[in-house]
Amino acid sequence: MEYETILKLFSLVYIIIMMALDFWIFDLILRREYVRVKGLLILLSIVLIMGFESLALAQLNVLLFILGLLLVLITLFSSFIIKDYTINVTRNWKYGLLLSLVIVFDELAMGYLYGSYFNPLPNPLLTAVNNPAYGAMMLGDAIFFLYILRRRSIMEFAITTFAISMAFMPSLYLMDRMLEFTMSLLTSFFMIVNIVLLYLTEMKMLTFQGQLVAISLSLFNLLMMLGLTFFASFNDLHFLTLSMIASMVWYFFLIFYNVPAKKISPKPFLFLVLVNLTELVMGFGESVLGFNLTNSLFVSTMNGEMMMSSHMMRSPFSNPFWWLFPINPLTMIIMTTMKYNLLGKLVMVPFMTVMTTTMAPFYVIMMGAEMSYLVYERFKKVKTRYLKAWTLGILTGIPIFVVLIPYYTNYYIFGMSGMIFPVTLTPFIISLIVIALFSTLFGRGVYCNIVCMSAHMWSNVFYEQFSAKKSSKVWDYLRWIFLVPMIVAFYLYVINQLGKINLSIDPLNFYGMFTLNYIWWFFYFLTPVFGIYSCARQGWCGFGTLTGIFNKVLFKIRAKDVNACKGCVSKACDASCPVKIPISSDISAKGYSNRISCIGCARCVDACDNLEIVNVLTILKNRESKSF
């Protein structure tokens, strides 16, 4: 057996034994409520010795081992001369941080040992982190610490999935492109699970500990996704590597230090900004990485060379994953920078960045998966049968929105599908007729709750706390102004399709993407400021206003007993309405409410037993009951 092969096998065995010793040492520390400082320092000295041994083995450098041994001896000597006393490690942040730094150093050293023999990179830090051994250690840490701590709250699972998502980071598996692609999907899956758990932590854990975990892990997720974007876009590992090391230190700190759990008010604004930015950056980075990896794997060499030379922005159908990564957002942004002057770049680059990311199938699937669970949480809390059916309708609408409408059919609904398949006049007219018909039969909610992404985002228990307290009559008039650009876009699209004019830009695509992929996200990111359903309440969604006109035909919110509403003091219906429609005033005046701004969310029905929803189903049901 060759000398190099023996060293590789020895390094693997050494890493496994050292990880087992690490787990034994930290199990020894964490299973005791109180430990003696001298004993703790001795155990940490052993871990440091193992770290320096790994570095020495990686370099085959005896002097490095001796130097490390001398440094460790200083720690050991300190343990003998200091005054001994007992401490609770999990309640002392200084020792919690010390433990975190020591274990991260040890695992970096072992990662460097593995990387030096199996996957050396330009510098020691990159070599230490970007290899499968490092991922295996993170996965082992996540499982081991979840087991020994024996805490099973949402917060602990959030911390665990945070570590697991790092274990599958694609930069750790650069030796094979298929493996790298597979791991990128796995890290995306665990990142999505982690974000859902952070939402639940922010929502349910109203303590300093819970809020710190939710906000801090959102911040570190954002840093790692920024690093992934740099890696996917420029093949640069430095930012991602540094962000993973910092994330590791923080993960272990949360494990070793029990943050005080005193009650505090939640900080949703900061949390939402960090999570939304994380989702946006993750959607961009993963779309670029997935596009590059899948096309390099499944497109022929000749086509691959053509793709690189022409800055191809679309995946060919020969790529089996074209449906998940059809467009390269980075290429579209590069093309934008080449096309415009400085002022144009300042306007168009941010627009194209947000637009190409939020229209990417990967991003839509990611957001749909996250929000579907939060809508399910709402389903468990609602009382009325109608509202339960409404939330189930949203859960049904999510795959319709994700799979059928924006990307995989040429039926055009509000500027979402033309980027993949060309949209012609006939399917455009058919889609408008279908929406008009169903909005007449069941109200505006058919579009706003089943098709549009707003219901997926705002119709869950977390966002209910951001309902607006009041509304202004100004928006009742401004919403008609917002209809104008939509009608102009419709008109230009029709005459362009009929050949009366020749436009270089599809007016409906531009209007739809600008509204749904830019303005919408601006208001969504600032939900705590503008409130939920700003699209309906402030009326900037022209298409929503158009479909709301059909509320006037059949859809109503009706009182079972109008006199009971006239004598009501609580006005629970008004307080529950996210759009802030004066439902009680409407009912007192005419017995029902059917305003254009109503999005059919049925919160008022859930808040008041005297209210009911009227649509074609209830009308038919009443007729059948009378016939008997």
Side-chain angles (χ1 to χ4, degrees):
M1 187 179 293
E2 294 181 2
Y3 178 67
E4 187 177 347
T5 304
I6 294 173
L7 285 176
K8 286 183 177 181
L9 290 175
F10 180 78
S11 66
L12 286 175
V13 174
Y14 179 84
I15 290 171
I16 293 171
I17 294 173
M18 292 304 102
M19 279 299 295
L21 283 173
D22 276 352
F23 287 154
W24 176 77
I25 289 171
F26 289 108
D27 178 70
L28 202 63
I29 295 170
L30 289 175
R31 284 192 185 275
R32 286 164 171 75
E33 185 175 0
Y34 293 94
V35 297
R36 303 191 73 84
V37 172
K38 286 188 176 183
L40 178 63
L41 291 176
I42 291 171
L43 290 175
L44 291 181
S45 299
I46 296 172
V47 176
L48 288 173
I49 289 174
M50 293 190 297
F52 279 108
E53 281 180 347
S54 299
L55 295 177
L57 285 170
Q59 293 291 320
L60 294 178
N61 191 326
V62 178
L63 290 177
L64 184 61
F65 174 72
I66 294 173
L67 176 63
L69 191 60
L70 290 174
L71 293 174
V72 171
L73 287 175
I74 295 174
T75 308
L76 275 172
F77 180 72
S78 301
S79 69
F80 290 109
I81 64 173
I82 66 169
K83 182 180 178 182
D84 197 15
Y85 57 95
T86 59
I87 60 165
N88 186 327
V89 175
T90 60
R91 295 184 183 276
N92 188 309
W93 71 267
K94 294 178 182 178
Y95 281 100
L97 182 59
L98 179 62
L99 285 167
S100 304
L101 293 172
V102 168
I103 192 171
V104 168
F105 167 76
D106 189 44
E107 294 192 354
L108 284 173
M110 287 189 285
Y112 181 64
L113 172 59
Y114 177 91
S116 296
Y117 288 116
F118 290 91
N119 188 36
L121 291 173
N123 66 58
L125 207 57
L126 298 184
T127 302
V129 174
N130 299 289
N131 61 72
Y134 193 81
M137 286 187 282
M138 283 305 301
L139 184 61
D141 290 332
I143 297 170
F144 174 76
F145 286 114
L146 181 67
Y147 171 74
I148 66 167
L149 293 175
R150 299 189 182 279
R151 299 194 295 256
R152 298 294 184 270
S153 71
I154 292 171
M155 185 175 63
E156 274 69 41
F157 283 114
I159 295 172
T160 301
T161 51
F162 174 74
I164 293 175
S165 67
M166 281 191 283
F168 296 108
M169 199 66 72
S171 58
L172 277 58
Y173 306 92
L174 298 175
M175 68 292 300
D176 182 82
R177 282 190 172 271
M178 179 56 77
L179 182 62
E180 184 183 346
F181 174 62
T182 303
M183 292 304 173
S184 73
L185 295 180
L186 277 175
T187 198
S188 299
F189 170 78
F190 283 107
M191 185 70 76
I192 291 169
V193 172
N194 180 247
I195 290 173
V196 169
L197 291 172
L198 291 180
Y199 267 113
L200 297 177
T201 300
E202 170 72 15
M203 181 173 61
K204 296 182 178 182
M205 307 293 289
L206 304 181
T207 62
F208 177 73
Q209 183 184 38
Q211 298 300 300
L212 179 67
V213 167
I215 292 171
S216 64
L217 293 190
S218 300
L219 173 62
F220 283 105
N221 279 335
L222 173 59
L223 292 176
M224 285 193 291
M225 290 302 101
L226 283 170
L228 182 68
T229 298
F230 274 102
F231 167 61
S233 303
F234 311 111
N235 202 29
D236 190 308
L237 286 168
H238 290 84
F239 194 102
L240 179 57
T241 301
L242 292 173
S243 63
M244 287 182 66
I245 294 172
S247 299
M248 273 190 65
V249 173
W250 186 248
Y251 162 73
F252 286 119
F253 180 75
L254 292 177
I255 292 294
F256 293 129
Y257 177 60
N258 191 11
V259 179
K262 61 181 180 181
K263 293 282 186 180
I264 63 166
S265 299
K267 307 296 180 186
F269 179 75
L270 180 58
F271 172 76
L272 272 183
V273 169
L274 291 172
V275 167
N276 290 332
L277 287 175
T278 299
E279 292 163 339
L280 195 65
V281 176
M282 179 180 173
F284 182 88
E286 287 287 359
S287 294
V288 173
L289 183 66
F291 181 92
N292 291 333
L293 286 176
T294 55
N295 281 296
S296 67
L297 283 167
F298 300 107
V299 178
S300 66
T301 304
M302 180 178 296
N303 288 338
E305 290 174 355
M306 290 173 61
M307 178 183 68
M308 295 303 294
S309 63
S310 62
H311 297 292
M312 177 181 163
M313 70 177 184
R314 298 193 183 204
S315 293
F317 294 132
S318 57
N319 178 357
F321 290 93
W322 75 266
W323 55 273
L324 187 58
F325 307 107
I327 292 176
N328 186 348
L330 180 63
T331 302
M332 296 184 72
I333 293 169
I334 292 173
M335 292 173 66
T336 302
T337 60
M338 296 169 62
K339 186 176 181 181
Y340 294 95
N341 58 24
L342 179 60
L343 181 60
K345 290 175 184 177
L346 292 175
V347 175
M348 291 303 297
V349 169
F351 167 64
M352 289 298 293
T353 301
V354 176
M355 186 271 290
T356 55
T357 301
T358 54
M359 70 174 286
F362 175 87
Y363 181 83
V364 179
I365 292 171
M366 173 184 69
M367 296 300 293
E370 292 172 13
M371 293 303 150
S372 61
Y373 183 83
L374 295 176
V375 174
Y376 171 70
E377 287 285 323
R378 175 170 171 77
F379 168 78
K380 294 191 296 184
K381 291 180 176 294
V382 297
K383 298 179 293 183
T384 60
R385 187 169 63 178
Y386 180 90
L387 202 48
K388 283 186 177 293
W390 180 82
T391 51
L392 287 176
I394 293 173
L395 292 174
T396 304
I398 288 173
I400 293 174
F401 179 90
V402 169
V403 177
L404 294 178
I405 291 174
Y407 307 109
Y408 312 117
T409 176
N410 61 348
Y411 278 79
Y412 184 98
I413 298 182
F414 199 35
M416 290 296 290
S417 56
M419 292 297 292
I420 306 300
F421 293 104
V423 179
T424 57
L425 189 59
T426 301
F428 167 67
I429 293 173
I430 291 173
S431 66
L432 288 179
I433 292 173
V434 168
I435 285 181
L437 175 63
F438 278 85
S439 297
T440 298
L441 298 177
F442 304 104
R444 177 179 175 175
V446 171
Y447 177 78
C448 293
N449 297 332
I450 306 300
V451 175
C452 182
M453 184 67 100
S454 65
H456 310 173
M457 304 297 200
W458 282 324
S459 303
N460 60 73
V461 287
F462 181 78
Y463 285 91
E464 284 180 357
Q465 61 185 293
F466 303 125
S467 291
K469 304 301 179 186
K470 59 181 180 179
S471 190
S472 171
K473 284 188 173 292
V474 173
W475 299 114
D476 291 337
Y477 301 101
L478 283 182
R479 71 167 37 92
W480 298 107
I481 296 176
F482 295 134
L483 265 177
V484 174
M486 187 199 74
I487 293 172
V488 170
F490 278 22
Y491 172 74
L492 292 174
Y493 172 78
V494 171
I495 63 174
N496 185 57
Q497 287 288 311
L498 293 174
K500 303 296 183 182
I501 59 174
N502 186 19
L503 299 175
S504 59
I505 299 176
D506 187 315
L508 275 189
N509 267 341
F510 180 80
Y511 174 72
M513 288 185 291
F514 186 79
T515 304
L516 287 183
N517 297 106
Y518 201 63
I519 295 177
W520 194 96
W521 292 99
F522 172 79
F523 280 93
Y524 177 65
F525 288 167
L526 298 177
T527 297
V529 176
F530 292 100
I532 62 173
Y533 284 110
S534 57
C535 50
R537 187 165 57 86
Q538 296 168 352
W540 52 261
C541 175
F543 198 78
T545 300
L546 177 68
T547 57
I549 293 173
F550 302 103
N551 278 354
K552 293 289 187 180
V553 183
L554 291 176
F555 184 85
K556 294 178 177 66
I557 299 165
R558 184 174 63 189
K560 299 173 185 176
D561 182 359
V562 177
N563 292 325
C565 287
K566 290 180 178 179
C568 178
V569 177
S570 67
K571 308 293 184 185
C573 57
D574 292 346
S576 65
C577 179
V579 189
K580 293 300 141 192
I581 296 171
I583 300 171
S584 59
S585 299
D586 288 355
I587 289 176
S588 296
K590 53 186 179 182
Y592 63 88
S593 177
N594 66 341
R595 299 205 179 196
I596 289 171
S597 55
C598 177
I599 40 85
C601 68
R603 282 175 168 87
C604 56
V605 175
D606 206 43
C608 177
D609 295 334
N610 191 42
L611 298 181
E612 61 181 353
I613 296 292
V614 176
N615 56 30
V616 68
L617 292 178
T618 54
I619 293 171
L620 292 174
K621 184 178 179 181
N622 288 337
R623 285 182 178 177
E624 289 176 1
S625 62
K626 288 178 181 178
S627 65
F628 284 102

